[in-house]
Amino acid sequence: MKTIAILAFFAGFYSAVFAQKYVPVIKEGSVINYDAYSKGLGQHVPLILTIKSLGDPVKIQWDVDGYGTGSFEIPAIALDSGTKLVIKQPDPDGVTKMKNDETLIVISKATFANLVKNNAFQLNGQKFTVSTDTAAYKINDKTADIFHAVSENGKGELWVLNNPDFPLIYKAKNVTRGVDFTLTGIKE
């Protein structure tokens, strides 16, 4: 009887440990790859983003083969409480500074908290509601812990990594002007 109880405990422990989904740790030096689709140009663009600093401001280097390299700066207040997700076309070799309410590739921590607490949030002036999604989303061939949300009008969709410290966007469809993007890999 004691052996059965021990086996049941380890079976439960084993399934709990292996049922956890992957949440990559984003830190200085992390390299994040996206496929950005420009609706205006009708083409896919591979985008490489490297986290250079998580201080104030958050500094992210961008690289687009054939176009150039540069950096984005996101104020820490935007990462804490920003209400807009924007994609700005940067100038090669320049620094593109986001406003205090603008984020890039992440939603703010406050927006994420609303997503978790209320299953709803506001972004870019639109209301989003978390939806049930049974699809398996992969990052680096591992099933990732992702929230899926749909805008009130049903046109915008956002997939967000379950990471309250850095709520990285896995995929955005009809959320930013002219560009949809999908995460293709991360080097932690």
Side-chain angles (χ1 to χ4, degrees):
M1 184 71 158
K2 190 174 184 179
T3 305
I4 292 172
I6 291 172
L7 288 174
F9 171 78
F10 281 111
F13 179 76
Y14 179 83
S15 64
V17 167
F18 288 97
Q20 291 180 346
K21 293 183 178 179
Y22 175 59
V23 178
V25 176
I26 307 301
K27 58 187 179 294
E28 290 180 12
S30 293
V31 178
I32 306 166
N33 295 289
Y34 280 100
D35 171 52
Y37 177 71
S38 170
K39 296 175 194 175
L41 298 174
Q43 69 185 108
H44 293 268
V45 177
L47 174 63
I48 301 168
L49 301 170
T50 304
I51 306 297
K52 293 297 189 179
S53 168
L54 289 173
D56 188 10
V58 173
K59 295 179 182 178
I60 303 172
Q61 178 183 315
W62 63 267
D63 293 286
V64 174
D65 193 33
Y67 181 68
T69 188
S71 63
F72 288 102
E73 289 185 357
I74 305 170
I77 192 168
L79 188 58
D80 286 338
S81 60
T83 58
K84 296 177 185 170
L85 172 68
V86 297
I87 299 290
K88 295 181 177 184
Q89 181 172 343
D91 293 322
D93 301 321
V95 176
T96 303
K97 295 184 180 203
M98 311 303 277
K99 296 178 183 172
N100 286 341
D101 62 348
E102 297 176 337
T103 61
L104 171 83
I105 72 161
V106 296
I107 60 173
S108 71
K109 293 174 184 179
T111 300
F112 183 80
N114 282 327
L115 177 154
V116 172
K117 181 180 178 185
N118 304 319
N119 284 326
F121 58 93
Q122 292 276 335
L123 188 66
N124 293 0
Q126 298 180 68
K127 181 179 180 183
F128 285 82
T129 304
V130 175
S131 70
T132 303
D133 191 343
T134 58
Y137 298 100
K138 302 267 185 172
I139 299 174
N140 302 339
D141 294 323
K142 299 173 189 168
T143 301
D145 194 356
I146 303 286
F147 287 102
H148 177 219
V150 179
S151 67
E152 200 168 45
N153 67 10
K155 294 180 181 178
E157 293 182 87
L158 197 63
W159 292 260
V160 180
L161 185 66
N162 185 4
N163 181 347
D165 294 325
F166 200 85
L168 186 70
I169 295 173
Y170 176 82
K171 183 176 181 177
K173 180 179 175 189
N174 297 323
V175 176
T176 62
R177 291 189 181 172
V179 178
D180 291 342
F181 54 96
T182 304
L183 185 80
T184 58
I186 295 176
K187 179 181 171 219
E188 293 180 68

